[in-house]
Amino acid sequence: MPLVKNGQITADEFVAVADDVELPAEGAILISAARLLADPERLVARNSPLGVIWPNNRDVAELKPWLDRLALIALVFPTYKDGRAHSQARRLREVYGYRGELRATGQVLRDQFTFLVRNGFDALDVKKETDAHAFGEATHRYTEFYQPTGDGHRSALQLRRQRHLTSAT
């Protein structure tokens, strides 16, 4: 499956490692939440990038002690109708200040691509290459938004106020 990161199709540096498989000595790995929680200190002490696949039915607050040592958190959309990973992403970015890669995995519709970006995702594991191109386009489609979020974009109201203050001086 293609990986889209920051609007570009890219190679995935992370290797998914099953729970019953020995961890490689080095290299970026992506492990399950169960494996991380079974022995977190040993895993985060590795001298290579570590990522975790976090299910949408678990509280992201459980990750708080290790956020500064996780290079990637992959949030799961089990069906296109289940948007809990959107809330998880916003909490990770806005409440806990997570600055690593947030990757969306699973069933995501094209209609949701802009919401992924707005909610803090910077990567998407897509099923089809055409979706990869569509996600890249969605990251640049809009320049102003009404809803404030923690993605660094100012809301339309904030931009209007700024323009008003600039023109008044």
Side-chain angles (χ1 to χ4, degrees):
M1 290 188 283
L3 176 67
V4 183
K5 187 172 179 180
N6 299 319
Q8 302 289 323
I9 298 174
T10 185
D12 189 355
E13 68 179 273
F14 285 84
V15 175
V17 180
D19 288 347
D20 58 347
V21 174
E22 184 70 28
L23 294 177
E26 56 186 46
I29 60 169
L30 183 61
I31 59 173
S32 71
R35 190 164 193 172
L36 173 70
L37 295 174
D39 191 7
E41 294 307 321
R42 183 178 71 86
L43 290 166
V44 297
R46 289 180 78 246
N47 198 22
S48 296
L50 176 65
V52 63
I53 302 168
W54 199 255
N56 71 353
N57 61 354
R58 291 196 76 118
D59 189 350
V60 293
E62 293 179 71
L63 290 171
K64 191 175 178 186
W66 308 288
L67 286 178
D68 61 336
R69 291 174 274 172
L70 288 171
L72 162 67
I73 299 173
L75 299 175
V76 181
F77 289 86
T79 69
Y80 70 90
K81 297 185 273 184
D82 189 341
R84 289 179 284 180
H86 285 291
S87 300
Q88 288 176 314
R90 287 202 57 182
R91 286 190 64 208
L92 284 166
R93 293 289 194 215
E94 297 172 24
V95 175
Y96 300 117
Y98 180 68
R99 295 290 162 238
E101 178 182 331
L102 274 184
R103 182 181 298 180
T105 64
Q107 305 249 343
V108 180
L109 299 178
R110 286 184 179 200
D111 295 2
Q112 299 169 330
F113 288 174
T114 300
F115 298 117
L116 290 177
V117 175
R118 294 286 293 150
N119 290 325
F121 287 97
D122 43 24
L124 171 64
D125 210 352
V126 296
K127 305 280 185 232
K128 301 179 285 193
E129 193 157 326
T130 55
D131 284 347
H133 294 293
F135 183 73
E137 291 170 10
T139 62
H140 305 294
R141 183 172 298 141
Y142 301 103
T143 57
E144 291 187 23
F145 300 93
Y146 287 107
Q147 301 84 4
T149 65
D151 69 352
H153 287 94
R154 297 172 121 191
S155 69
L157 177 62
Q158 291 168 322
L159 291 169
R160 276 191 218 119
R161 284 183 179 157
Q162 180 182 5
R163 285 190 288 257
H164 177 71
L165 290 173
T166 304
S167 66
T169 57

